[in-house]
Amino acid sequence: MAGKKKNMLLQGGILAGAGLITKIIGFAYRIPMSNMMGDEGNGLYSVAFGIYGIALTISSYSLPLAVSKMVSARVAKGEYRNMRTVVTNALVYAVIAGLLAMNILFFGAGAFERLYDRPGLEMPLRVLAPTTFIVALLGVFRGYFQGHGDMVPTSISQILEQIVNAGISVFATWQFLKIYEDSDQAASFGAAGGTFGTLAGAAAALLFMGFLFMSASVQYQGQLNPNEKLESGKYINKALFLTIIPIILSQTTYQIGYTIDDLMFGKLMGAKEIAAHDITALLGVYNTQYNQLVNLPVAIATSMAASTLPSIVLSKMQNDMHGVHEKITQIIKVNMVIAFPSAVGLAVLAEPIMRMLFPSLVTYHQQAVIFLLTGSSAVVFYALSTLTSSVLQGNNYMRLPVINSAISLAIHVVLVWILLTFTELSAYALVICNVIFPLIVSILNCRAITKKVGYRWEYMNTFFKPLAASGVMGVVAFALYYVLNMAFDSVYIAAVIAIGTAVIVYGIVILQIRCFSDEELESIPGGHKLTHLIR
């Protein structure tokens, strides 16, 4: 059992590590790109990505999880012919859905520009359109390998995709802004340059994964079981859709919340006679300077969720509920140990972080700092809601995350409308609701896991101890930064030393208060050394 847990955490760690690396690369290249584009260009870029995100969610975002779940179930029984049929049918779905999404984005770009009342939105949307088709195919290949419990191909492809994306996005943005600097559409061209990198990165990852898939599929020719009971194409299609649709609906509620926020904010602030330029700029600050930072640590939870699903499916098929419960505890505890200090660190060091990363975006600097200070707790709730949704799906409760997300989205939309209409909170309303949305999903999902899966939560070790250790870390980080900034008069020196010290302090405290048992530490890759260090 310890070996299985270690392998699950190792594979999850590989994917989470790759997810974190890609987020860091993504965040790193967005810094120079954001500083080049300015607040208005960032606003167009973020709104375009919000619309693109919905198209991607509907066409392909569900495919890695769905294919992974169905492939892992058939590989566990040695049904390689049925597994191949799953992949073939998923590719057909990907082609149809990807082409449909691509055409809607490309030919409907002008209509979206008018709907959102964002002049210049059409161009970046049209550049993004082909990416939906490419990512749909890519999702099937990634799900195939994840279903085999191998997260390495997905991890490498994600890093490759982001490296290509980063290089081309920055270069294309710089070139487009240089060529069209005197044009009224300079912000639109800059945003289009950034989206071109997304297209190129996805294409590079697809070529890589396609090659690996062709190589891997040959291996199974000699492993085919002549006595395998073949499933009909109709049955597999039905199972595929019954798996895809709930994941689509669950993830769409997350993604649609962002674009609804963009749409409502634009319309309601416009009704208050706020200038279109200021509306676009504020959305740029919210989506670029706040959301990018919050989503960075959440990438670990997203990757862990993808790697946990096949493992939970396998334990569920073997009727090993004790194993299911152990995996739930392990994966959620590891993520909370990461999410809590991330949220506290972003809050207490919000001001130096903004000064270091976005030195040229000074117009709305104070708003960006308050956004991060107010909304950093969303890190914890997004991580928890993502993981608990995956746990429910792995236990075949596919509809529950959808229902819970829909309930939260409805509350979110009403609350955003009330705050924007009847208060002067402006973009702060979006930040407040961005915390409330995943909080409600987390509460509903945790309640469902307790009732449906029979899981008992370890509140002290999973939540309270990481929170307490993060509090100690936060006090040390804030105090050290304040002292060093006065001594050296350099935000960079003070922040870097404060962050490094905070990581060390947190690690010492979390180990000393025994958040993890010896057995849990031993099951973590490298845990034996940690156990020895503590003793």
Side-chain angles (χ1 to χ4, degrees):
M1 180 62 70
K4 289 181 179 179
K5 286 199 294 181
K6 183 172 288 192
N7 182 63
M8 179 191 75
L9 286 170
L10 177 61
Q11 293 295 328
I14 290 171
L15 196 57
L20 184 59
I21 290 170
T22 57
K23 278 291 183 182
I24 290 172
I25 295 171
F27 187 75
Y29 84 78
R30 284 293 299 275
I31 293 171
M33 199 173 79
S34 298
N35 285 303
M36 283 189 287
M37 286 195 297
D39 291 324
E40 188 174 0
N42 285 322
L44 290 174
Y45 181 87
S46 62
V47 172
F49 256 86
I51 298 168
Y52 161 75
I54 294 177
L56 205 62
T57 301
I58 295 172
S59 65
S60 60
Y61 192 84
S62 60
L63 283 170
L65 282 174
V67 173
S68 168
K69 186 175 188 293
M70 294 186 67
V71 165
S72 64
R74 283 151 184 81
V75 168
K77 295 184 288 186
E79 297 178 354
Y80 295 110
R81 284 192 177 91
N82 289 332
M83 176 204 71
R84 193 165 56 188
T85 305
V86 167
V87 175
T88 301
N89 291 12
L91 282 170
V92 172
Y93 169 86
V95 169
I96 296 171
L99 285 173
L100 180 61
M102 181 180 74
N103 282 285
I104 290 173
L105 274 190
F106 188 84
F107 295 106
F112 283 118
E113 181 178 302
R114 292 187 293 274
L115 175 65
Y116 281 78
D117 194 20
R118 291 287 170 277
L121 183 61
E122 181 176 352
M123 196 181 307
L125 272 180
R126 285 192 168 171
V127 175
L128 279 171
T131 316
T132 54
F133 175 71
I134 294 172
V135 174
L137 298 175
L138 185 58
V140 177
F141 296 145
R142 284 174 172 168
Y144 169 82
F145 286 105
Q146 289 169 203
H148 285 82
D150 185 2
M151 307 300 161
V152 175
T154 295
S155 301
I156 295 174
S157 72
Q158 287 177 341
I159 295 172
L160 172 65
E161 177 182 4
Q162 199 67 307
I163 290 173
V164 174
N165 183 1
I168 293 181
S169 291
V170 173
F171 179 76
T173 299
W174 172 64
Q175 279 294 303
F176 283 18
L177 287 172
K178 183 179 178 181
I179 294 169
Y180 299 100
E181 61 181 343
D182 296 326
S183 168
D184 293 338
Q185 294 291 307
S188 179
F189 279 107
T195 56
F196 185 70
T198 306
L199 172 61
L206 179 61
L207 289 173
F208 173 76
M209 290 297 288
F211 172 77
L212 288 186
F213 175 76
M214 295 299 292
S215 302
S217 60
V218 176
Q219 302 176 30
Y220 290 102
Q221 296 300 323
Q223 300 182 28
L224 299 180
N225 180 5
N227 299 319
E228 177 183 339
K229 184 180 178 181
L230 298 181
E231 298 169 327
S232 68
K234 183 179 179 181
Y235 173 81
I236 286 180
N237 278 332
K238 181 180 178 181
L240 189 64
F241 277 102
L242 288 176
T243 307
I244 286 174
I245 298 303
I247 297 175
I248 285 177
L249 294 175
S250 177
Q251 295 300 329
T252 299
T253 54
Y254 279 85
Q255 190 59 50
I256 203 172
Y258 289 115
T259 197
I260 287 176
D261 286 352
D262 292 340
L263 182 59
M264 290 178 66
F265 186 77
K267 297 294 185 184
L268 294 174
M269 290 297 98
K272 292 185 175 183
E273 299 184 351
I274 306 296
H277 169 82
D278 292 331
I279 293 171
T280 304
L282 279 169
L283 284 175
V285 173
Y286 171 72
N287 287 310
T288 301
Q289 294 171 250
Y290 165 71
N291 266 332
Q292 282 291 307
L293 281 164
V294 167
N295 288 333
L296 188 61
V298 175
I300 297 175
T302 304
S303 301
M304 282 286 192
S307 65
T308 304
L309 188 59
S311 180
I312 290 178
V313 170
L314 180 60
S315 295
K316 181 76 173 177
M317 288 181 62
Q318 296 171 343
N319 291 319
D320 179 15
M321 291 310 298
H322 177 70
V324 170
H325 290 178
E326 279 195 323
K327 289 169 183 175
I328 294 172
T329 299
Q330 193 83 3
I331 210 73
I332 292 181
K333 187 184 293 185
V334 167
N335 273 272
M336 291 300 99
V337 164
I338 297 169
F340 274 109
S342 299
V344 171
L346 289 174
V348 299
L349 298 176
E351 202 275 336
I353 287 172
M354 289 300 174
R355 284 175 61 189
M356 286 193 301
L357 298 181
F358 304 99
S360 66
L361 303 179
V362 296
T363 307
Y364 296 96
H365 172 79
Q366 196 57 41
Q367 286 93 331
V369 171
I370 298 174
F371 286 175
L372 197 55
L373 181 63
T374 307
S376 64
S377 59
V379 170
V380 175
F381 303 129
Y382 272 117
L384 185 59
S385 62
T386 300
L387 287 166
T388 50
S389 293
S390 185
V391 167
L392 288 169
Q393 290 161 353
N395 282 278
N396 288 326
Y397 296 106
M398 302 298 292
R399 290 186 298 175
L400 280 175
V402 179
I403 295 169
N404 295 341
S405 298
I407 291 170
S408 184
L409 179 63
I411 296 171
H412 171 87
V413 170
V414 172
L415 192 56
V416 168
W417 180 79
I418 290 172
L419 293 178
L420 290 178
T421 303
F422 299 106
T423 73
E424 299 302 320
L425 285 171
S426 184
Y428 298 113
L430 302 183
V431 176
I432 293 169
C433 295
N434 188 57
V435 174
I436 293 173
F437 173 71
L439 170 61
I440 295 172
V441 176
S442 297
I443 292 171
L444 294 175
N445 280 356
C446 290
R447 182 172 175 270
I449 289 172
T450 301
K451 291 182 66 176
K452 301 294 183 180
V453 185
Y455 178 71
R456 291 188 176 183
W457 295 88
E458 295 183 8
Y459 293 104
M460 181 58 70
N461 289 330
T462 304
F463 300 108
F464 295 128
K465 286 185 178 181
L467 177 60
S470 299
V472 173
M473 178 210 74
V475 171
V476 171
F478 181 79
L480 190 58
Y481 169 76
Y482 182 77
V483 172
L484 290 174
N485 192 39
M486 287 195 302
F488 293 101
D489 194 25
S490 171
V491 65
Y492 297 97
I493 294 175
V496 169
I497 294 176
I499 291 170
T501 305
V503 171
I504 296 171
V505 168
Y506 179 74
I508 293 171
V509 174
I510 204 71
L511 291 174
Q512 286 299 319
I513 62 177
R514 309 295 290 170
C515 184
F516 294 98
S517 66
D518 288 345
E519 183 185 357
E520 287 173 330
L521 281 176
E522 290 286 348
S523 69
I524 297 172
H528 179 72
K529 292 181 180 179
L530 283 174
T531 307
H532 179 71
L533 180 64
I534 293 171
R535 289 172 179 167

